[in-house]
Amino acid sequence: MARGHDAVRRLAWQSKPSTPLCRSCISALQSRLASTAASPVETAPIEPSPSGKAPPPLTASESHSIRYILKASVILSRPPVLTRTLTPFEKAFFLYQRRLNERLALPFTRYFYYQRGTAGDIEWKRKIRERKTPARDIGVYAAYGKQGWNDELLVGDRIHEPEEQIERLLEDAEVESKEGDKDDVVERPMPRITEADKTGDLRSLNRSLERTVYLVVKTPKGWGFPAAVLERRESLHTAAERVIVQTGGVNMNTWVVGNTPIGHHVLNYVRARKDSGAELRGEKIFFMKARIMAGQANLEGNKLGVEDFHWLSKEEVQKTFDPQHWNAVKKILPER
């Protein structure tokens, strides 16, 4: 502010040093200096409409009568439940690492781990007799014999496959149960491919356990993420919570991640619409990220006109959405 006064006084002194300026002249000079020093404000271009033609730019007289509908859209996801399936190279490499560790990092006598004559010592001896190693899931391998260096996976050997290792573990558990006179039933692990995967049940959350699945809903306008118009004085976070409840009911334990949207999309109408004297140019959709921890969606009594819902992976979302909707969200959905 001091610099502004100095500049005004300098201009006044250079123009008419003998004549003092009034308060109104000083205010006019200050506003003129502020307007010339301020940088021009750049306006973002309006995104093209679905027809491919961009709407005409707004004039000063039209700007007060043009508005967009603001919407909050929720990307509700269930993260992967299982680790991804290993590649053949990774399986062979991990087997090699275990054998290398047994040969180099475990050169101790078994009495370092077990007391002589105990159940652990007897089990150690049994495994040594059967497959020359005390390890539980790496097959026949003599770590301290003349062929100890030959610890890579042989061609055609399936010991690196998780299914084969599971069978070996189950065999060990059954032998231990019989030798220990136990009546415990050895339970098998659950398969990675569920019944929902086999039957193609797209409504089940117990599918595609290795991938992230997203809640997509069907409305009269087509498939998309749950969305609704923002109400008066409503934040995006509050709107996202409301959209989840009004779409899938209260039987879902969900969490809206943060108050800031992870993306947005501007949808311009092909033709502007009139609403209460204002011209509706289009919609501005803000995508909010959310997670589901438990529960399931229930469309009974939903207030957003939802007809159906699916839990889909990213590739399935691409096949379900229209190209314009997919282009708006494809970069904010993780690959896995």
Side-chain angles (χ1 to χ4, degrees), residues 86-100 138 160 165:
L86 300 178
T87 63
F89 173 80
E90 291 172 332
K91 296 174 185 177
F93 177 76
F94 291 147
L95 175 65
Y96 169 75
Q97 287 289 88
R98 287 198 296 269
R99 288 180 171 177
L100 185 65
I138 62 173
H160 69 296
Q165 295 177 4

Side-chain angles (χ1 to χ4, degrees), residues 7-21 26 29:
V8 172
R9 291 169 183 169
R10 193 181 305 110
L11 290 175
W13 176 262
Q14 291 177 356
S15 59
K16 291 182 179 181
S18 59
T19 305
L21 296 178
I26 294 176
L29 287 174

Side-chain angles (χ1 to χ4, degrees), residues 40-178:
V41 178
E42 298 182 358
T43 58
I46 300 177
E47 295 190 13
S49 62
S51 63
K53 298 181 181 180
L58 302 178
T59 62
S61 59
E62 294 176 335
S63 60
H64 69 281
S65 61
I66 301 296
R67 69 184 183 89
Y68 283 81
I69 298 176
L70 302 182
K71 286 187 174 182
S73 182
V74 182
I75 301 181
L76 181 62
S77 63
R78 185 224 65 196
V81 179
L82 302 177
T83 57
R84 66 174 177 83
T85 303
L86 300 178
T87 63
F89 173 80
E90 291 172 332
K91 296 174 185 177
F93 177 76
F94 291 147
L95 175 65
Y96 169 75
Q97 287 289 88
R98 287 198 296 269
R99 288 180 171 177
L100 185 65
N101 178 72
E102 183 174 351
R103 179 160 58 92
L104 300 179
L106 300 175
F108 300 104
T109 175
R110 66 176 183 273
Y111 301 119
F112 180 83
Y113 304 99
Y114 304 103
Q115 186 177 357
R116 190 186 301 271
T118 59
D121 182 33
I122 297 174
E123 182 65 17
W124 181 290
K125 293 178 181 179
R126 181 185 69 81
K127 293 177 180 178
I128 288 290
R129 290 194 306 267
E130 292 181 358
R131 52 180 194 256
K132 304 178 183 179
T133 175
R136 300 189 63 187
D137 57 349
I138 62 173
V140 177
Y141 171 62
Y144 307 117
K146 294 181 179 180
Q147 296 293 323
W149 57 271
N150 189 14
D151 49 12
E152 296 184 8
L153 182 66
L154 300 179
V155 177
D157 193 356
R158 289 182 49 83
I159 193 59
H160 69 296
E161 295 290 344
E163 295 80 7
E164 187 70 18
Q165 295 177 4
I166 289 174
E167 294 299 327
R168 299 295 177 90
L169 289 171
L170 291 174
E171 290 177 2
D172 281 341
E174 291 173 356
V175 171
E176 293 176 3
S177 178
K178 292 178 181 179

Side-chain angles (χ1 to χ4, degrees), residues 298-317:
N298 184 5
L299 301 183
E300 183 178 356
N302 76 89
K303 300 180 180 180
L304 300 180
V306 178
E307 302 171 357
D308 197 1
F309 73 93
H310 288 162
W311 291 98
L312 304 179
S313 62
K314 184 175 182 178
E315 290 77 12
E316 294 169 336
V317 170

